[in-house]
Amino acid sequence: MTTVGEIRAANPRMTCRQVNVYYGDKHAIKNVSIDIGRNEVLAMIGPSGCGKSTFLRCLNRMNDTIEGCRVTGTITLDGQDIYDPDLDVVLLRAQVGMVFQKPNPFPKSIYDNIAYGPKIHGLARTRSELDQIVETSLQKAGLWDEVKDRLKHPGTGLSGGQQQRLCIARAIAVSPEVILMDEPCSALDPIATARIEDLIHELREQYTIVIVTHSMQQAARVSQRTAFFHMGDLIEVGPTDRIFTRPRHSLTEDYITGRFG
Amino acid sequence: MKKIICVLGMAVVLGLSQAPAATARDYISIVGSSTVYPFSTTVAEHFGKTTPFKTPKVESTGSGGGFKLFCAGVGVQHPDITNASRAIKPSEKQTCAQNGVREIVQVKIGYDGIVLAQSKKVPAMHLSRRDIFLALAKEVPDPSGAEKTVPNPYKTWKDVNPQLPDVKIEVLGPPPTSGTRDAFLELAMQGGAKSFKWLKELKKKDKKLFKKIAHTLREDGAYIDAGENDNLIVQKLEANPNALGIFGFSYLDQNADKIQGAFVDGVEPTFENISAQKYPLSRPLFFYVKKAHVGTIPGIQEYIAEFTSEKAWGPEGYLADKGLIPLPDEERSKMREVARKLEVMPME
Amino acid sequence: MESHSGIAAVVKKTLNRRYRAERRFRRIGLAAVAVGLLFLAVLFTAIVSKGYTAFQQTHVLLDVYVDPDVVHVGNLDSADYQGLIKASLRELFPDVKGHRDKRNLYKLVSSGAGSILRQKVLEDTSLIGRRIQIWVPADDDVDMVIKGHVDRSLPESQRRLNNKSLAWVDALKEQGRLEKRWNLTFFTAGDSREPELAGIWGATVGSFYTLLITLSLSFPLGTAAAVYLEEFAPRNRWTDLLEVNINNLAAVPSIVFGLLGLAVFLNFFGLPRSSPLVGGLVLTLMTLPTIIIAGRAALQSVPPSIRDAALAVGASKMQAVFHHVLPLALPGMLTGTIIGMARALGETAPLLMVGMVAFIVDIPRGFTDAATALPVQIFLWADSPERAFVEKTSAAIMVLLGFLILMNGAAVFLRNRYERRW
Ligand SMILES: Nc1ncnc2c1ncn2[C@@H]1O[C@H](COP(=O)(O)OP(=O)(O)OP(=O)(O)O)[C@@H](O)[C@H]1O
Ligand SMILES: [Mg+2]
């Protein structure tokens, strides 16, 4: 199946070519090729079970941890093949951060949640540098004002929306180049969602962001490009405003007009 | 957490370094029969208290287990003395000899009686060995007199012998691993079986079959395997006056206020009768000394001297208090000489 | 509207049935708990009612003249102290004549009385030549009479104390020379053939050394094995086989570990028989599977999202496990370890094979000294003919139960204190 629309980006940070993913015998991603441009927000939409999360996890090799999962094809980050056996996954994941669908802070203090990544990577030489990283990360995630007085409190004691922002702060604390977000707002109320969307806008200046979402409005609000998946196929990809106004593929049209999914 | 682990680790290292693994042993190691255990330990304790030597270590392994360990070889890791409620078997001697244990001193220390005890609430039973055999064997001679065996049909003691009371046969006894059970089978059951002429002849012709008949106890509930704990049997007998219990004389001696011994072949199990070898269900007790260890392990000779002193194994000695039935005077002095001179027993 | 109320009626009908089922189940559950508690109560009352008397021991007050002819500086260690005790008994009952009666008289006090006197004199040599009052333990037969475990109305021939002895006991009692006192010996002495001199300290120390070995080997080994198998090992036929075997080992009768220990540690490595070192090694083999299984369960219960979170910020597998997963699993692992230890504390069968079921008087002073363990002591006493050991057995069980409750309590405490809920 060939993808409709322009899969290439002018200035790609990541490129994916003929990516296939299998869970044992199950063919979950079928021959997907797409670029992810520098400083752009790419939204991935599609009905449940179509393979959005699976594809997202290919981008920082989190699929490695899943038993029986096999990935073929090539994915590059800044021209470097990330599935090259010589490539260090730890380094890759420092460059490509991830925010999960369900907030998953460590059962440690807010401070330690943020400081953990910089600590293991040796990003801060002194305590005050570390403090600085924690503060800026929380500020970027829009959480600083709410938690600055209780940095020693457990991160699991925060509300769901706060926890999700904590996880975002944790991801950006290691200064990745790409941030992958898997339905970051699925458990949040509209206000918290709006904050995170604002945050994505701000982050775009420095980072490349891939976001999976079930909300067409959200995709329209935050992304420059949108990719539509269906049963493991990448059906259509293009500039967000074009996809939502003039979809070229009938499946895409059915989906965004709410006729299925 | 890490600290705890560190401390534990250090404790172990310290403990291990404190004594090198294979040091010379400075205490006597004794193994063997659980029947002799109470006597052996009493002597060991006295010995430890009244001499500069360490208190010997006494393990209760059973007679067979004791010989196995004892005959495994010469050296500090092997025991110096083994206790036994029977004499050493030729096969055990052979194992001993094969492993270099060629000089063994055998010391007979006294007797133990096997008693069939019952509650004091009922009059004492008068049993013969034949009654015991008929009541407890799985297969008994055909009551019609034919020379074959039938599954045991007797339900009450009266069925066995019209002179006995009309109560259900219920006997609590030790499990197969016990030396007391071996002795009971040998002395009571075999003795009873031999009272049938054709079985006695069978013994000469087919020893195995005879043993099978005499040594197989009923499994229909008349014989109850009551476990190794003899104190428990005493309690059960108190609760059930119809039941009999099988155990060593020392239990009867210690619990004379609660239980009494049944007469066997007209003889009551008393101190005097067993000592005079009148009571049929009695067996000799021994200990065996590895002569090669004398001089290497400190105190062996002194321990033997303590054991064979009048104040220990004499009729008035402290072992008699513990229920040991002393040897007759003459045999005792003979044995003391054997022990003193460490006279080795013949190995053939 | 109609169909709506129709559904309500239908649901209502089933609702009653469902509630009834629930009530029934609750009652059954409650009954099960009650039966369990009842058995426990019966067990405890049986043990406590039999054992509490062992914490007291009848003592006799004697006026002993420390005769300088018998004890002097030259023979402080080896003087005939028991003879002095006997002399003081003769003084108390000057009418007793004849060899037999005298022997019975001497038997009223423990044969350990002499060593108590010796201890006193060694501590303070100025006692020599003086007349001192000293409490010594009474013989176990006297103790049993005083505690009412022996029926005095039985005919003389059936008692271990004859009429004369009983009369002496009564006379002593009247003079206030007979008293039940706190039985310190029970907590400070090693084993003895004389019930009044026997104590559990030797066995307790033996258990302590044994468990120390077991804990310090099985906890690190078990944890390491659990972490490796759960987090690092590839899933293939070999690891499946390993898992099946570990689960099997956990169910193997403990005596088998004893046999293994006999073959490996004693016969092959030549480690000292009857030592806590070997006992601890054998119990390590026995508890390892338990700890590994508990450890793996604890690791499995850590949600995978924590691992993902750590990996996603760039932690290596090792860092994810040791920084995040292991600390979360540790309370569960510790609980498993403590339960394993508690089981090891109560075990006798494997110790039998390595020679720890033994009569040992001296308190062990290291990992290679001969030693027994608490449950072994219980087993040995339960098998002893002397009546007075019955209460000692129950008392020792109480002490063992105390330790077990303490350990299991610690497990519950750790779980409640550190367990995290997600
Ligand atoms: N670990 C796994 N093992 C086997 N199959 C899996 C696994 N994870 C996902 N799948 C299958 O792969 C397909 C894609 O799953 P994926 O989670 O990528 O869907 P998704 O698009 O993210 O759906 P949703 O929007 O509901 O999150 C599904 O059919 C799913 O059943
Ligand atoms: Mg998904």
mmCIF file of all heavy atoms in Angstrom, chain B residues 271-310:
data_model
loop_
_atom_site.group_PDB
_atom_site.id
_atom_site.type_symbol
_atom_site.label_atom_id
_atom_site.label_comp_id
_atom_site.label_asym_id
_atom_site.label_seq_id
_atom_site.Cartn_x
_atom_site.Cartn_y
_atom_site.Cartn_z
ATOM 1 N N PHE B 271 12.971 -53.983 87.465
ATOM 2 C CA PHE B 271 14.413 -53.809 87.509
ATOM 3 C C PHE B 271 15.126 -55.141 87.767
ATOM 4 O O PHE B 271 16.008 -55.559 87.011
ATOM 5 C CB PHE B 271 14.675 -52.845 88.667
ATOM 6 C CG PHE B 271 15.922 -52.080 88.532
ATOM 7 C CD1 PHE B 271 15.950 -50.903 87.810
ATOM 8 C CD2 PHE B 271 17.089 -52.542 89.140
ATOM 9 C CE1 PHE B 271 17.121 -50.184 87.712
ATOM 10 C CE2 PHE B 271 18.248 -51.835 89.033
ATOM 11 C CZ PHE B 271 18.268 -50.651 88.319
ATOM 12 N N GLU B 272 14.667 -55.818 88.818
ATOM 13 C CA GLU B 272 15.336 -57.047 89.247
ATOM 14 C C GLU B 272 15.194 -58.137 88.199
ATOM 15 O O GLU B 272 16.146 -58.838 87.869
ATOM 16 C CB GLU B 272 14.764 -57.526 90.587
ATOM 17 C CG GLU B 272 15.072 -56.617 91.769
ATOM 18 C CD GLU B 272 14.254 -55.320 91.765
ATOM 19 O OE1 GLU B 272 13.174 -55.288 91.115
ATOM 20 O OE2 GLU B 272 14.705 -54.333 92.365
ATOM 21 N N ASN B 273 13.957 -58.296 87.693
ATOM 22 C CA ASN B 273 13.720 -59.387 86.743
ATOM 23 C C ASN B 273 14.499 -59.205 85.447
ATOM 24 O O ASN B 273 14.982 -60.170 84.864
ATOM 25 C CB ASN B 273 12.224 -59.481 86.432
ATOM 26 C CG ASN B 273 11.468 -60.104 87.583
ATOM 27 O OD1 ASN B 273 12.069 -60.782 88.428
ATOM 28 N ND2 ASN B 273 10.168 -59.850 87.639
ATOM 29 N N ILE B 274 14.582 -57.963 85.016
ATOM 30 C CA ILE B 274 15.315 -57.741 83.765
ATOM 31 C C ILE B 274 16.802 -57.956 84.000
ATOM 32 O O ILE B 274 17.488 -58.614 83.224
ATOM 33 C CB ILE B 274 15.042 -56.330 83.211
ATOM 34 C CG1 ILE B 274 13.561 -56.186 82.884
ATOM 35 C CG2 ILE B 274 15.879 -56.079 81.975
ATOM 36 C CD1 ILE B 274 13.141 -54.793 82.505
ATOM 37 N N SER B 275 17.286 -57.440 85.126
ATOM 38 C CA SER B 275 18.697 -57.584 85.444
ATOM 39 C C SER B 275 19.087 -59.058 85.559
ATOM 40 O O SER B 275 20.147 -59.474 85.116
ATOM 41 C CB SER B 275 18.995 -56.850 86.750
ATOM 42 O OG SER B 275 20.353 -56.958 87.055
ATOM 43 N N ALA B 276 18.183 -59.843 86.129
ATOM 44 C CA ALA B 276 18.478 -61.270 86.282
ATOM 45 C C ALA B 276 18.161 -62.039 85.011
ATOM 46 O O ALA B 276 18.225 -63.265 84.994
ATOM 47 C CB ALA B 276 17.673 -61.816 87.453
ATOM 48 N N GLN B 277 17.787 -61.342 83.975
ATOM 49 C CA GLN B 277 17.449 -61.934 82.677
ATOM 50 C C GLN B 277 16.297 -62.920 82.759
ATOM 51 O O GLN B 277 16.227 -63.868 81.998
ATOM 52 C CB GLN B 277 18.683 -62.607 82.070
ATOM 53 C CG GLN B 277 19.796 -61.618 81.851
ATOM 54 C CD GLN B 277 20.474 -61.844 80.530
ATOM 55 O OE1 GLN B 277 21.569 -62.323 80.478
ATOM 56 N NE2 GLN B 277 19.777 -61.500 79.452
ATOM 57 N N LYS B 278 15.383 -62.666 83.702
ATOM 58 C CA LYS B 278 14.191 -63.519 83.787
ATOM 59 C C LYS B 278 13.130 -63.020 82.822
ATOM 60 O O LYS B 278 12.397 -63.797 82.240
ATOM 61 C CB LYS B 278 13.627 -63.473 85.212
ATOM 62 C CG LYS B 278 14.402 -64.345 86.179
ATOM 63 C CD LYS B 278 13.688 -64.371 87.518
ATOM 64 C CE LYS B 278 14.593 -64.911 88.598
ATOM 65 N NZ LYS B 278 14.388 -64.230 89.877
ATOM 66 N N TYR B 279 13.059 -61.726 82.680
ATOM 67 C CA TYR B 279 12.032 -61.144 81.805
ATOM 68 C C TYR B 279 12.438 -61.402 80.356
ATOM 69 O O TYR B 279 13.570 -61.097 79.955
ATOM 70 C CB TYR B 279 11.949 -59.636 82.086
ATOM 71 C CG TYR B 279 10.890 -58.910 81.290
ATOM 72 C CD1 TYR B 279 9.541 -59.117 81.554
ATOM 73 C CD2 TYR B 279 11.245 -58.022 80.285
ATOM 74 C CE1 TYR B 279 8.576 -58.452 80.835
ATOM 75 C CE2 TYR B 279 10.278 -57.346 79.563
ATOM 76 C CZ TYR B 279 8.938 -57.570 79.836
ATOM 77 O OH TYR B 279 7.980 -56.901 79.117
ATOM 78 N N PRO B 280 11.528 -62.009 79.568
ATOM 79 C CA PRO B 280 11.957 -62.460 78.229
ATOM 80 C C PRO B 280 12.259 -61.335 77.236
ATOM 81 O O PRO B 280 13.057 -61.534 76.332
ATOM 82 C CB PRO B 280 10.781 -63.303 77.747
ATOM 83 C CG PRO B 280 9.615 -62.848 78.557
ATOM 84 C CD PRO B 280 10.140 -62.383 79.876
ATOM 85 N N LEU B 281 11.591 -60.200 77.387
ATOM 86 C CA LEU B 281 11.788 -59.154 76.375
ATOM 87 C C LEU B 281 12.867 -58.173 76.813
ATOM 88 O O LEU B 281 12.603 -57.007 77.050
ATOM 89 C CB LEU B 281 10.489 -58.397 76.113
ATOM 90 C CG LEU B 281 9.254 -59.231 75.805
ATOM 91 C CD1 LEU B 281 8.084 -58.326 75.451
ATOM 92 C CD2 LEU B 281 9.522 -60.182 74.662
ATOM 93 N N SER B 282 14.069 -58.671 76.983
ATOM 94 C CA SER B 282 15.123 -57.730 77.333
ATOM 95 C C SER B 282 16.280 -57.901 76.365
ATOM 96 O O SER B 282 16.460 -58.958 75.771
ATOM 97 C CB SER B 282 15.579 -57.932 78.765
ATOM 98 O OG SER B 282 16.413 -59.062 78.845
ATOM 99 N N ARG B 283 17.020 -56.831 76.206
ATOM 100 C CA ARG B 283 18.123 -56.891 75.244
ATOM 101 C C ARG B 283 19.331 -56.175 75.843
ATOM 102 O O ARG B 283 19.181 -55.235 76.637
ATOM 103 C CB ARG B 283 17.725 -56.196 73.948
ATOM 104 C CG ARG B 283 17.291 -54.775 74.203
ATOM 105 C CD ARG B 283 17.035 -54.017 72.947
ATOM 106 N NE ARG B 283 16.291 -52.799 73.277
ATOM 107 C CZ ARG B 283 16.036 -51.839 72.424
ATOM 108 N NH1 ARG B 283 16.457 -51.941 71.195
ATOM 109 N NH2 ARG B 283 15.362 -50.773 72.783
ATOM 110 N N PRO B 284 20.506 -56.605 75.458
ATOM 111 C CA PRO B 284 21.709 -55.960 75.982
ATOM 112 C C PRO B 284 21.986 -54.648 75.254
ATOM 113 O O PRO B 284 21.593 -54.471 74.109
ATOM 114 C CB PRO B 284 22.810 -56.975 75.667
ATOM 115 C CG PRO B 284 22.301 -57.737 74.502
ATOM 116 C CD PRO B 284 20.805 -57.730 74.583
ATOM 117 N N LEU B 285 22.656 -53.751 75.951
ATOM 118 C CA LEU B 285 23.062 -52.478 75.353
ATOM 119 C C LEU B 285 24.586 -52.408 75.339
ATOM 120 O O LEU B 285 25.245 -52.931 76.235
ATOM 121 C CB LEU B 285 22.507 -51.308 76.164
ATOM 122 C CG LEU B 285 20.993 -51.285 76.356
ATOM 123 C CD1 LEU B 285 20.581 -50.146 77.268
ATOM 124 C CD2 LEU B 285 20.287 -51.175 75.007
ATOM 125 N N PHE B 286 25.114 -51.746 74.323
ATOM 126 C CA PHE B 286 26.570 -51.700 74.161
ATOM 127 C C PHE B 286 27.050 -50.314 73.819
ATOM 128 O O PHE B 286 26.276 -49.482 73.370
ATOM 129 C CB PHE B 286 27.007 -52.588 72.988
ATOM 130 C CG PHE B 286 26.606 -54.024 73.073
ATOM 131 C CD1 PHE B 286 25.396 -54.448 72.562
ATOM 132 C CD2 PHE B 286 27.455 -54.947 73.665
ATOM 133 C CE1 PHE B 286 25.026 -55.775 72.629
ATOM 134 C CE2 PHE B 286 27.083 -56.284 73.729
ATOM 135 C CZ PHE B 286 25.867 -56.703 73.211
ATOM 136 N N PHE B 287 28.375 -50.120 74.016
ATOM 137 C CA PHE B 287 29.013 -49.087 73.211
ATOM 138 C C PHE B 287 30.302 -49.624 72.645
ATOM 139 O O PHE B 287 30.889 -50.571 73.158
ATOM 140 C CB PHE B 287 29.190 -47.755 73.953
ATOM 141 C CG PHE B 287 30.159 -47.737 75.091
ATOM 142 C CD1 PHE B 287 31.521 -47.651 74.868
ATOM 143 C CD2 PHE B 287 29.684 -47.750 76.402
ATOM 144 C CE1 PHE B 287 32.409 -47.601 75.932
ATOM 145 C CE2 PHE B 287 30.571 -47.713 77.471
ATOM 146 C CZ PHE B 287 31.933 -47.637 77.241
ATOM 147 N N TYR B 288 30.715 -49.075 71.523
ATOM 148 C CA TYR B 288 31.891 -49.537 70.802
ATOM 149 C C TYR B 288 32.891 -48.384 70.682
ATOM 150 O O TYR B 288 32.499 -47.262 70.361
ATOM 151 C CB TYR B 288 31.493 -50.021 69.402
ATOM 152 C CG TYR B 288 30.659 -51.286 69.440
ATOM 153 C CD1 TYR B 288 29.290 -51.220 69.655
ATOM 154 C CD2 TYR B 288 31.249 -52.526 69.288
ATOM 155 C CE1 TYR B 288 28.514 -52.364 69.711
ATOM 156 C CE2 TYR B 288 30.486 -53.689 69.340
ATOM 157 C CZ TYR B 288 29.119 -53.603 69.552
ATOM 158 O OH TYR B 288 28.368 -54.752 69.614
ATOM 159 N N VAL B 289 34.152 -48.690 70.945
ATOM 160 C CA VAL B 289 35.171 -47.642 70.942
ATOM 161 C C VAL B 289 36.166 -47.907 69.814
ATOM 162 O O VAL B 289 36.567 -49.044 69.579
ATOM 163 C CB VAL B 289 35.932 -47.620 72.285
ATOM 164 C CG1 VAL B 289 36.923 -46.472 72.303
ATOM 165 C CG2 VAL B 289 34.970 -47.529 73.439
ATOM 166 N N LYS B 290 36.505 -46.837 69.108
ATOM 167 C CA LYS B 290 37.500 -46.938 68.050
ATOM 168 C C LYS B 290 38.868 -46.772 68.685
ATOM 169 O O LYS B 290 39.249 -45.664 69.078
ATOM 170 C CB LYS B 290 37.238 -45.825 67.039
ATOM 171 C CG LYS B 290 37.710 -46.110 65.649
ATOM 172 C CD LYS B 290 37.318 -44.972 64.722
ATOM 173 C CE LYS B 290 35.883 -45.087 64.221
ATOM 174 N NZ LYS B 290 35.460 -43.920 63.436
ATOM 175 N N LYS B 291 39.597 -47.859 68.801
ATOM 176 C CA LYS B 291 40.842 -47.811 69.558
ATOM 177 C C LYS B 291 41.856 -46.864 68.923
ATOM 178 O O LYS B 291 42.640 -46.221 69.617
ATOM 179 C CB LYS B 291 41.439 -49.218 69.678
ATOM 180 C CG LYS B 291 42.514 -49.282 70.748
ATOM 181 C CD LYS B 291 42.944 -50.705 71.035
ATOM 182 C CE LYS B 291 44.103 -50.709 72.015
ATOM 183 N NZ LYS B 291 44.611 -52.068 72.228
ATOM 184 N N ALA B 292 41.802 -46.778 67.608
ATOM 185 C CA ALA B 292 42.772 -45.915 66.921
ATOM 186 C C ALA B 292 42.666 -44.464 67.365
ATOM 187 O O ALA B 292 43.615 -43.700 67.245
ATOM 188 C CB ALA B 292 42.578 -46.023 65.415
ATOM 189 N N HIS B 293 41.509 -44.080 67.884
ATOM 190 C CA HIS B 293 41.334 -42.685 68.298
ATOM 191 C C HIS B 293 41.838 -42.416 69.709
ATOM 192 O O HIS B 293 42.009 -41.268 70.101
ATOM 193 C CB HIS B 293 39.860 -42.287 68.205
ATOM 194 C CG HIS B 293 39.413 -42.017 66.809
ATOM 195 N ND1 HIS B 293 38.236 -41.397 66.516
ATOM 196 C CD2 HIS B 293 40.004 -42.280 65.617
ATOM 197 C CE1 HIS B 293 38.103 -41.297 65.204
ATOM 198 N NE2 HIS B 293 39.171 -41.836 64.644
ATOM 199 N N VAL B 294 41.998 -43.507 70.485
ATOM 200 C CA VAL B 294 42.480 -43.321 71.856
ATOM 201 C C VAL B 294 43.884 -42.738 71.778
ATOM 202 O O VAL B 294 44.736 -43.244 71.056
ATOM 203 C CB VAL B 294 42.492 -44.659 72.614
ATOM 204 C CG1 VAL B 294 43.049 -44.463 74.022
ATOM 205 C CG2 VAL B 294 41.094 -45.232 72.675
ATOM 206 N N GLY B 295 44.110 -41.655 72.475
ATOM 207 C CA GLY B 295 45.418 -41.013 72.407
ATOM 208 C C GLY B 295 45.419 -39.836 71.454
ATOM 209 O O GLY B 295 46.174 -38.896 71.629
ATOM 210 N N THR B 296 44.565 -39.885 70.437
ATOM 211 C CA THR B 296 44.483 -38.752 69.502
ATOM 212 C C THR B 296 43.438 -37.759 69.993
ATOM 213 O O THR B 296 43.674 -36.568 70.085
ATOM 214 C CB THR B 296 44.071 -39.238 68.100
ATOM 215 O OG1 THR B 296 44.853 -40.380 67.783
ATOM 216 C CG2 THR B 296 44.299 -38.155 67.078
ATOM 217 N N ILE B 297 42.271 -38.291 70.281
ATOM 218 C CA ILE B 297 41.198 -37.447 70.821
ATOM 219 C C ILE B 297 41.326 -37.504 72.339
ATOM 220 O O ILE B 297 41.304 -38.591 72.919
ATOM 221 C CB ILE B 297 39.821 -37.978 70.393
ATOM 222 C CG1 ILE B 297 39.740 -38.152 68.889
ATOM 223 C CG2 ILE B 297 38.715 -37.086 70.934
ATOM 224 C CD1 ILE B 297 39.724 -36.885 68.091
ATOM 225 N N PRO B 298 41.454 -36.366 72.991
ATOM 226 C CA PRO B 298 41.680 -36.400 74.429
ATOM 227 C C PRO B 298 40.451 -36.878 75.198
ATOM 228 O O PRO B 298 39.330 -36.522 74.855
ATOM 229 C CB PRO B 298 41.982 -34.928 74.769
ATOM 230 C CG PRO B 298 41.378 -34.142 73.653
ATOM 231 C CD PRO B 298 41.448 -35.001 72.450
ATOM 232 N N GLY B 299 40.693 -37.719 76.191
ATOM 233 C CA GLY B 299 39.633 -38.049 77.144
ATOM 234 C C GLY B 299 38.880 -39.330 76.905
ATOM 235 O O GLY B 299 38.026 -39.684 77.713
ATOM 236 N N ILE B 300 39.177 -40.051 75.807
ATOM 237 C CA ILE B 300 38.371 -41.245 75.521
ATOM 238 C C ILE B 300 38.473 -42.263 76.656
ATOM 239 O O ILE B 300 37.474 -42.762 77.161
ATOM 240 C CB ILE B 300 38.792 -41.885 74.184
ATOM 241 C CG1 ILE B 300 38.472 -40.919 73.037
ATOM 242 C CG2 ILE B 300 38.063 -43.199 73.970
ATOM 243 C CD1 ILE B 300 38.783 -41.467 71.674
ATOM 244 N N GLN B 301 39.706 -42.523 77.059
ATOM 245 C CA GLN B 301 39.880 -43.522 78.110
ATOM 246 C C GLN B 301 39.202 -43.090 79.407
ATOM 247 O O GLN B 301 38.599 -43.901 80.104
ATOM 248 C CB GLN B 301 41.373 -43.755 78.359
ATOM 249 C CG GLN B 301 41.791 -45.127 77.876
ATOM 250 C CD GLN B 301 43.284 -45.305 77.927
ATOM 251 O OE1 GLN B 301 44.052 -44.401 77.584
ATOM 252 N NE2 GLN B 301 43.703 -46.470 78.359
ATOM 253 N N GLU B 302 39.310 -41.820 79.700
ATOM 254 C CA GLU B 302 38.696 -41.312 80.928
ATOM 255 C C GLU B 302 37.175 -41.414 80.850
ATOM 256 O O GLU B 302 36.511 -41.704 81.847
ATOM 257 C CB GLU B 302 39.123 -39.859 81.168
ATOM 258 C CG GLU B 302 40.577 -39.668 81.564
ATOM 259 C CD GLU B 302 41.540 -39.698 80.380
ATOM 260 O OE1 GLU B 302 41.102 -39.970 79.241
ATOM 261 O OE2 GLU B 302 42.748 -39.467 80.580
ATOM 262 N N TYR B 303 36.640 -41.173 79.655
ATOM 263 C CA TYR B 303 35.190 -41.292 79.491
ATOM 264 C C TYR B 303 34.760 -42.733 79.737
ATOM 265 O O TYR B 303 33.779 -43.000 80.436
ATOM 266 C CB TYR B 303 34.786 -40.848 78.083
ATOM 267 C CG TYR B 303 33.350 -41.131 77.721
ATOM 268 C CD1 TYR B 303 32.332 -40.289 78.134
ATOM 269 C CD2 TYR B 303 33.008 -42.260 76.980
ATOM 270 C CE1 TYR B 303 31.003 -40.556 77.815
ATOM 271 C CE2 TYR B 303 31.695 -42.543 76.659
ATOM 272 C CZ TYR B 303 30.692 -41.684 77.076
ATOM 273 O OH TYR B 303 29.389 -41.961 76.757
ATOM 274 N N ILE B 304 35.509 -43.670 79.155
ATOM 275 C CA ILE B 304 35.164 -45.079 79.346
ATOM 276 C C ILE B 304 35.255 -45.435 80.823
ATOM 277 O O ILE B 304 34.405 -46.142 81.371
ATOM 278 C CB ILE B 304 36.116 -45.983 78.535
ATOM 279 C CG1 ILE B 304 36.022 -45.622 77.054
ATOM 280 C CG2 ILE B 304 35.783 -47.433 78.738
ATOM 281 C CD1 ILE B 304 37.053 -46.333 76.205
ATOM 282 N N ALA B 305 36.292 -44.905 81.481
ATOM 283 C CA ALA B 305 36.467 -45.199 82.908
ATOM 284 C C ALA B 305 35.275 -44.669 83.695
ATOM 285 O O ALA B 305 34.753 -45.344 84.587
ATOM 286 C CB ALA B 305 37.763 -44.553 83.409
ATOM 287 N N GLU B 306 34.798 -43.459 83.332
ATOM 288 C CA GLU B 306 33.636 -42.895 84.013
ATOM 289 C C GLU B 306 32.409 -43.774 83.786
ATOM 290 O O GLU B 306 31.682 -44.096 84.721
ATOM 291 C CB GLU B 306 33.365 -41.479 83.485
ATOM 292 C CG GLU B 306 32.074 -40.844 83.945
ATOM 293 C CD GLU B 306 32.114 -40.336 85.382
ATOM 294 O OE1 GLU B 306 33.203 -39.933 85.826
ATOM 295 O OE2 GLU B 306 31.058 -40.356 86.054
ATOM 296 N N PHE B 307 32.220 -44.189 82.529
ATOM 297 C CA PHE B 307 31.047 -44.994 82.201
ATOM 298 C C PHE B 307 31.052 -46.302 82.989
ATOM 299 O O PHE B 307 30.024 -46.737 83.510
ATOM 300 C CB PHE B 307 31.013 -45.287 80.688
ATOM 301 C CG PHE B 307 29.634 -45.469 80.127
ATOM 302 C CD1 PHE B 307 29.236 -44.787 78.979
ATOM 303 C CD2 PHE B 307 28.719 -46.314 80.735
ATOM 304 C CE1 PHE B 307 27.957 -44.936 78.456
ATOM 305 C CE2 PHE B 307 27.443 -46.474 80.217
ATOM 306 C CZ PHE B 307 27.063 -45.779 79.085
ATOM 307 N N THR B 308 32.242 -46.929 83.081
ATOM 308 C CA THR B 308 32.303 -48.253 83.686
ATOM 309 C C THR B 308 32.585 -48.199 85.183
ATOM 310 O O THR B 308 32.865 -49.224 85.793
ATOM 311 C CB THR B 308 33.372 -49.117 82.997
ATOM 312 O OG1 THR B 308 34.618 -48.405 83.056
ATOM 313 C CG2 THR B 308 33.028 -49.366 81.544
ATOM 314 N N SER B 309 32.502 -46.982 85.758
ATOM 315 C CA SER B 309 32.717 -46.915 87.212
ATOM 316 C C SER B 309 31.434 -47.322 87.935
ATOM 317 O O SER B 309 30.338 -47.182 87.404
ATOM 318 C CB SER B 309 33.109 -45.487 87.600
ATOM 319 O OG SER B 309 32.011 -44.638 87.409
ATOM 320 N N GLU B 310 31.592 -47.833 89.155
ATOM 321 C CA GLU B 310 30.422 -48.263 89.932
ATOM 322 C C GLU B 310 29.439 -47.118 90.124
ATOM 323 O O GLU B 310 28.236 -47.308 90.103
ATOM 324 C CB GLU B 310 30.846 -48.784 91.309
ATOM 325 C CG GLU B 310 31.180 -50.258 91.407
ATOM 326 C CD GLU B 310 30.175 -51.195 90.741
ATOM 327 O OE1 GLU B 310 29.156 -51.505 91.367
ATOM 328 O OE2 GLU B 310 30.411 -51.632 89.599
#
